[in-house]
Amino acid sequence: MGFIRLLLLVALIYLLYRLARKLFPALPKQPPRVKGDAPEKVPPPYDPGQVEDIDYKEVRPKDRDNA
């Protein structure tokens, strides 16, 4: 009989723990702080003057009857 009481007590403690975690979520984390100098500004890996817009054409799905 003592073993059953122990199991019930463990189950009750577990359920109370889960309920408390849902009611009181963890505190928000602070953003990480970085010590030291900021990195130098790195140029983009491409030449912005050489970038062109792309013209897309509409692609329609095939008819299932003709497939």
Side-chain angles (χ1 to χ4, degrees):
M1 196 67 165
F3 183 69
I4 294 174
R5 282 188 197 164
L6 180 65
L7 285 178
L8 290 174
L9 184 63
V10 168
L12 180 65
I13 291 172
Y14 174 73
L15 291 175
L16 289 174
Y17 171 74
R18 293 280 308 253
L19 180 65
R21 295 248 336 196
K22 288 191 183 256
L23 292 177
F24 307 107
L27 297 175
K29 295 181 180 177
Q30 295 179 356
R33 296 181 183 178
V34 179
K35 293 183 179 179
D37 296 334
E40 295 179 12
K41 196 167 193 178
V42 179
Y46 56 87
D47 182 14
Q50 299 294 324
V51 176
E52 297 179 11
D53 288 334
I54 298 175
D55 293 327
Y56 293 98
K57 71 175 187 177
E58 185 176 341
V59 178
R60 296 183 184 162
K62 293 183 179 180
D63 292 333
R64 292 186 182 227
D65 298 333
N66 297 335

